[in-house]
Amino acid sequence: MSVGGMFGLFSRRENEGPGYDKTPWVFKGRAIYQLHPVKVEEARKYIPSNVNIVQFGGYTLGGWYLANYTESPATDNKKFGELVALAGLVWNPPTSCAWASQVYVSSKCAKKHGERVVGLPENLATFELSHKDLKRPFLEVKSGGKVIWSGWIPRERTGWRAGFPIRMDLPSLSGCTRLQPNLLNYWLDLRGKLSLVAPTCKVNVDESSPLYPIVKNRPLVSMLFEDLSMDVNPPTKFDARQTFKNVPLPFLQASNKDSSWSLLQYFTKGETLEGNTVTKSSAT
């Protein structure tokens, strides 16, 4: 893949596709995932109050995910760009997953599908690459006529430089939006080659950008996925109370409500959570 094909100019299309067809939905391309520490009180602005945030010392792990899909189920443009702002980690037994606070795509079909089916806060955007002759080309993401994110991204890596092969089955939570009010859970099967970006990607995000609260702190690590292939399964309804169950360490839990009930739930057996109270379950 050429540098130009890596993150080319993705423009808005006039035709809005009907959405994705057969499942699982398959995406192929390359992606960058950069982690930033985010204060829990900031992350809570984007994460539903009844979903447990994984935190340590008042912080959770947020950041951004940037992808260039060369193949996708989008009907208007198989190739499109995606930028996801991740507010923080939420507990999804038996592991955790990132919660998306904003999603920007260059495909109207992807936007429609994300909003109506997956319950994601989707926005249309353009992705424009420049300085292609440099060691790290410069990418600019615009939405609503404004630059919301820009940064220097690594060139494509091939051979042993692409990293080691990985395969992960990852859970995800979404929903609680106007078009999809339910909390949803879906799984994705991710395969590719993983390497680290050192130093981390230098990103420019203005204070007026919706992404600024998420990425304003110093990045922790930046991961590059080459030869990415991702199979995404349709979402199903999920009970938010599950996010407070089977947490290995109680201090990892964070709630903007009365946090004592979540800790009590952890230490009690044969009890269920109803609203903000803990009640005994009937013996069988």
Side-chain angles (χ1 to χ4, degrees), residues 12 83 104-105 123-128 139-150 204-211:
R12 301 183 182 183
L83 173 65
Y104 296 89
V105 293
N123 304 271
L124 282 175
T126 58
F127 294 67
E128 186 173 359
L139 180 69
E140 197 170 64
V141 182
K142 296 181 180 179
S143 182
K146 298 180 179 179
V147 177
I148 58 168
W149 183 101
S150 62
N204 304 315
V205 179
D206 190 79
E207 291 186 13
S208 61
S209 170
L211 279 70

Side-chain angles (χ1 to χ4, degrees), residues 237-263:
K237 291 184 181 180
F238 191 77
D239 187 349
R241 294 175 293 184
Q242 297 296 319
T243 66
F244 287 94
K245 292 184 178 181
N246 303 319
V247 180
L249 298 171
F251 65 80
L252 294 176
Q253 299 185 109
S255 174
N256 71 336
K257 296 181 179 180
D258 180 7
S259 60
S260 61
W261 62 262
S262 61
L263 297 181

Side-chain angles (χ1 to χ4, degrees), residues 120-198:
L120 292 171
E122 299 272 1
N123 304 271
L124 282 175
T126 58
F127 294 67
E128 186 173 359
L129 192 71
S130 60
H131 301 290
K132 301 175 186 178
D133 56 330
L134 297 182
K135 184 178 181 180
R136 288 194 179 186
F138 186 74
L139 180 69
E140 197 170 64
V141 182
K142 296 181 180 179
S143 182
K146 298 180 179 179
V147 177
I148 58 168
W149 183 101
S150 62
W152 304 90
I153 60 175
R155 286 175 172 267
E156 181 188 14
R157 296 177 180 177
T158 59
W160 64 268
R161 292 182 178 84
F164 58 90
I166 61 166
R167 179 167 185 172
M168 298 182 289
D169 289 319
L170 303 173
S172 295
L173 291 179
S174 61
C176 300
T177 62
R178 181 179 61 85
L179 295 178
Q180 186 53 265
N182 297 306
L183 180 64
L184 302 177
N185 180 52
Y186 58 98
W187 285 80
L188 57 89
D189 178 10
L190 185 149
R191 303 174 300 279
K193 294 181 180 179
L194 173 65
S195 62
L196 297 180
V197 180

Side-chain angles (χ1 to χ4, degrees), residues 11-283:
S11 61
R12 301 183 182 183
R13 298 300 182 98
E14 295 300 324
N15 297 323
E16 183 174 3
Y20 297 167
D21 296 325
K22 61 180 182 179
T23 59
W25 304 307
V26 180
F27 299 82
K28 295 183 179 181
R30 70 193 302 254
I32 306 168
Y33 188 7
Q34 185 157 296
L35 295 174
H36 294 251
V38 181
K39 286 190 175 182
V40 170
E41 54 264 33
E42 187 63 45
R44 180 55 77 187
K45 296 177 182 179
Y46 308 97
I47 300 174
S49 59
N50 59 344
V51 174
N52 181 33
I53 299 177
V54 179
Q55 64 94 31
F56 185 83
Y59 284 84
T60 185
L61 275 180
W64 51 267
Y65 168 87
L66 176 69
N68 174 45
Y69 299 122
T70 54
E71 294 183 35
S72 78
T75 56
D76 62 341
N77 190 357
K78 297 294 183 183
K79 301 179 180 180
F80 71 90
E82 180 179 48
L83 173 65
V84 183
L86 303 164
L89 292 180
V90 296
W91 186 245
N92 187 348
T95 182
S96 60
C97 61
W99 185 273
S101 56
Q102 295 99 12
V103 180
Y104 296 89
V105 293
S106 58
S107 161
K108 283 189 174 182
C109 176
K111 176 182 182 295
K112 179 180 179 180
H113 176 87
E115 287 178 328
R116 301 185 182 183
V117 179
V118 190
L120 292 171
E122 299 272 1
N123 304 271
L124 282 175
T126 58
F127 294 67
E128 186 173 359
L129 192 71
S130 60
H131 301 290
K132 301 175 186 178
D133 56 330
L134 297 182
K135 184 178 181 180
R136 288 194 179 186
F138 186 74
L139 180 69
E140 197 170 64
V141 182
K142 296 181 180 179
S143 182
K146 298 180 179 179
V147 177
I148 58 168
W149 183 101
S150 62
W152 304 90
I153 60 175
R155 286 175 172 267
E156 181 188 14
R157 296 177 180 177
T158 59
W160 64 268
R161 292 182 178 84
F164 58 90
I166 61 166
R167 179 167 185 172
M168 298 182 289
D169 289 319
L170 303 173
S172 295
L173 291 179
S174 61
C176 300
T177 62
R178 181 179 61 85
L179 295 178
Q180 186 53 265
N182 297 306
L183 180 64
L184 302 177
N185 180 52
Y186 58 98
W187 285 80
L188 57 89
D189 178 10
L190 185 149
R191 303 174 300 279
K193 294 181 180 179
L194 173 65
S195 62
L196 297 180
V197 180
T200 56
C201 294
K202 184 180 179 181
V203 174
N204 304 315
V205 179
D206 190 79
E207 291 186 13
S208 61
S209 170
L211 279 70
Y212 180 76
I214 306 300
V215 303
K216 63 181 180 181
N217 293 321
R218 183 186 298 272
L220 300 174
V221 65
S222 186
M223 296 170 283
L224 176 63
F225 296 87
E226 297 285 7
D227 300 330
L228 176 70
S229 180
M230 189 166 56
D231 297 352
V232 182
N233 291 295
T236 58
K237 291 184 181 180
F238 191 77
D239 187 349
R241 294 175 293 184
Q242 297 296 319
T243 66
F244 287 94
K245 292 184 178 181
N246 303 319
V247 180
L249 298 171
F251 65 80
L252 294 176
Q253 299 185 109
S255 174
N256 71 336
K257 296 181 179 180
D258 180 7
S259 60
S260 61
W261 62 262
S262 61
L263 297 181
L264 182 60
Q265 169 71 5
Y266 177 84
F267 286 111
T268 55
K269 295 182 178 180
E271 299 184 350
T272 58
L273 187 64
E274 295 180 359
N276 293 346
T277 61
V278 177
T279 59
K280 286 285 185 181
S281 298
S282 300

